[in-house]
Amino acid sequence: MDSHAPATDAPSRILDAAENLIIARGVASLTLEAAAREAGVSKGGLLYHFASKEALLEALLGRLASFIAQEFAACVAAQPEGQGRVALAMLEWGFGEGDLACNERHERAGAVFLAAFHHDPALLAPMRAVIAEMRAAVAADGLPPGHGAAIMAAGDGLFMARLFNLYAPSAAELAEMRAALSVFLGARP
């Protein structure tokens, strides 16, 4: 998922290649032959690790779910202890800057998400499970009902705007949205 270092093992190279194909040319370009060629392996080598396109997509989604879960945990861990910690992490993740803010890695993840959805929505089960855990953490965060969920939904909306290239808020707009959503963090029960 992270494009900073090339993978050395064949399964990771194949997954990276499949992801690159989706990013560069869209979901229709993802064939086993194209992924094998992009990864520098034979089709037989690809089939050794991923017996079908569905298996390849399942592995991409499993990796995506793991990536999102790890990023979320890291973002929560970076926040101060106490009530509203998870919602604050969501705010930082969606509207902040720095390593844990939404970035190119998340947009690459979104492309994989869309490819799997296009092929078979049932493949999204691992992501649905991660999102359910995130929603449960937000709900148990100690804020009044709906406050953390509103922050999460706003971050999701911004992610979709980026993913579909619908609009790109300026830094000033992001700061204004973050300030508006921060009100939900100050309203303690």
Side-chain angles (χ1 to χ4, degrees):
M1 185 65 43
D2 198 340
S3 58
H4 68 276
T8 55
D9 64 290
S12 293
R13 279 197 337 267
I14 293 166
L15 292 173
D16 289 346
E19 184 180 289
N20 289 337
L21 284 167
I22 293 166
I23 299 296
R25 298 192 287 267
V27 67
S29 69
L30 181 59
T31 65
L32 296 179
E33 294 81 6
R37 188 172 41 256
E38 181 83 12
V41 299
S42 67
K43 186 175 177 186
L46 181 143
L47 290 170
Y48 175 78
H49 297 288
F50 307 103
S52 65
K53 185 174 181 177
E54 287 74 20
L56 181 59
L57 286 167
E58 284 175 2
L60 280 169
L61 261 292
R63 183 167 82 162
L64 170 59
S66 177
F67 166 74
I68 295 296
Q70 290 170 4
E71 286 281 311
F72 177 67
C75 200
V76 172
Q79 307 311 315
E81 292 283 337
Q83 185 173 297
R85 180 182 195 193
V86 177
L88 181 59
M90 285 288 182
L91 194 60
E92 182 62 32
W93 203 13
F95 295 88
E97 297 178 359
D99 291 340
L100 295 176
C102 188
N103 56 38
E104 184 261 344
R105 289 177 297 170
H106 295 112
E107 291 169 14
R108 291 177 65 82
V112 170
F113 180 93
L114 291 174
F117 180 80
H118 175 76
H119 185 75
D120 180 1
L123 292 172
L124 297 178
M127 275 306 308
R128 288 185 182 105
V130 168
I131 298 295
E133 290 174 12
M134 292 166 64
R135 288 176 48 85
V138 167
D141 200 20
L143 295 176
H147 287 210
I151 291 170
M152 185 174 181
D156 290 345
L158 185 58
F159 175 75
M160 288 302 187
R162 288 176 178 143
L163 181 62
F164 290 109
N165 199 24
L166 300 173
Y167 63 90
S170 68
E173 289 172 317
L174 285 172
E176 290 166 350
M177 286 186 270
R178 183 183 176 132
L181 290 166
S182 293
V183 170
F184 291 126
L185 296 172
R188 306 287 196 241

